[in-house]
Amino acid sequence: RKEVEQDPGPFNVPEGATVAFNCTYSNSASQSFFWYRQDCRKEPKLLMSVYSSGNEDGRFTAQLNRASQYISLLIRDSKLSDSATYLCVVGHNDMRFGAGTRLTVKP
Amino acid sequence: GAVVSQHPSWVICKSGTSVKIECRSLDFQATTMFWYRQFPKQSLMLMATSNEGSKATYEQGVEKDKFLINHASLTLSTLTVTSAHPEDSSFYICSAENQETQYFGPGTRLLVL
């Protein structure tokens, strides 16, 4: 089993749609969780950290379920500029990257 | 499928020595691999794009003579940090491209004393 697993997609959604990505991780001792955004062949950039209580940043909401070892990212009111690959990352000093979920937002 | 390994996972070395890090795609062939570096509390930074059979493309500010990249086969790219110094201490991570998706390795933590 991979340490971090994501649905690779692709997700093709219209502008304005709400889309959710899921990620599962295998190491129950993990303490740090992040969502990164990666544009084509660019370095991944931190989108948001994921906190135990769940957290929101504008149109983006991240949630963590430790019992199920599951992380989610919800994007509301999708914009064309949200088209990218979203990477789930677990760990801090010893980061493990998921393979990413590709999102395409269409007009 | 689509597993990428890195070796070693941890390196501690003396200043002035050279360190080689290997990045392997275990179950697919990758004509393109990427090398990233992450300093504490900073995001990943792309260092270079490694293309099988040709010279690597370095990002601005990355010294190609200091960070030697060799992509001699479709499953292996190596990054050699030459004459490493304490400021080179960082987390180095590679990714390999397969069908337009990048798969990341587990990273190599380098500590130069």
Side-chain angles (χ1 to χ4, degrees):
Chain A
R1 182 185 173 189
K2 290 183 180 177
E3 293 186 68
V4 181
E5 294 202 64
Q6 293 181 248
D7 180 347
F11 284 66
N12 298 308
V13 303
E15 267 187 295
T18 295
V19 62
F21 306 137
N22 302 321
C23 170
T24 57
Y25 60 95
S26 61
N27 184 356
S28 60
S30 299
Q31 296 293 322
S32 302
F33 309 91
F34 311 91
W35 282 102
Y36 275 67
R37 172 200 166 119
Q38 184 178 30
D39 293 293
C40 187
R41 290 199 165 193
K42 301 267 179 80
E43 63 262 35
K45 293 190 183 299
L46 179 63
L47 178 65
M48 59 196 303
S49 301
V50 185
Y51 302 120
S52 297
S53 54
N55 48 299
E56 188 174 303
D57 183 2
R59 297 181 293 109
F60 300 85
T61 301
Q63 296 208 310
L64 167 65
N65 183 322
R66 286 190 186 274
S68 301
Q69 294 178 209
Y70 169 99
I71 305 159
S72 66
L73 175 69
L74 182 77
I75 304 176
R76 290 182 300 278
D77 189 23
S78 301
K79 311 291 185 191
L80 296 177
S81 57
D82 293 334
S83 297
T85 296
Y86 291 83
L87 301 165
C88 172
V89 182
V90 175
H92 185 64
N93 293 321
D94 197 15
M95 299 168 77
R96 294 290 184 263
F97 284 75
T101 299
R102 189 177 301 169
L103 171 67
T104 301
V105 181
K106 299 185 175 180
Chain B
V3 176
V4 176
S5 70
Q6 276 185 246
H7 178 80
S9 54
W10 273 93
V11 182
I12 301 174
C13 67
K14 293 182 179 180
S15 185
T17 59
S18 293
V19 176
K20 180 186 281 188
I21 303 170
E22 294 185 348
C23 177
R24 292 182 186 272
S25 56
L26 297 185
D27 49 4
F28 65 99
Q29 294 182 328
T31 55
T32 305
M33 293 185 174
F34 303 87
W35 286 97
Y36 299 87
R37 177 170 56 180
Q38 183 182 39
F39 292 108
K41 298 187 179 181
Q42 296 185 26
S43 190
L44 285 177
M45 291 179 57
L46 179 63
M47 298 176 67
T49 301
S50 170
N51 300 296
E52 187 268 336
S54 64
K55 291 183 179 180
T57 304
Y58 290 82
E59 295 298 301
Q60 194 170 12
V62 178
E63 299 175 57
K64 62 181 180 181
D65 294 329
K66 180 166 181 65
F67 298 99
L68 300 178
I69 291 173
N70 186 301
H71 193 157
S73 80
L74 288 171
T75 60
L76 173 65
S77 175
T78 60
L79 168 69
T80 301
V81 183
T82 61
S83 187
H85 289 95
E87 58 265 30
D88 297 322
S89 299
S90 188
F91 182 65
Y92 293 85
I93 191 167
C94 73
S95 69
E97 189 172 78
N98 183 29
Q99 297 182 351
E100 299 183 349
T101 297
Q102 285 190 39
Y103 296 92
F104 286 83
T108 297
R109 192 160 294 283
L110 171 63
L111 177 61
V112 185
L113 303 176

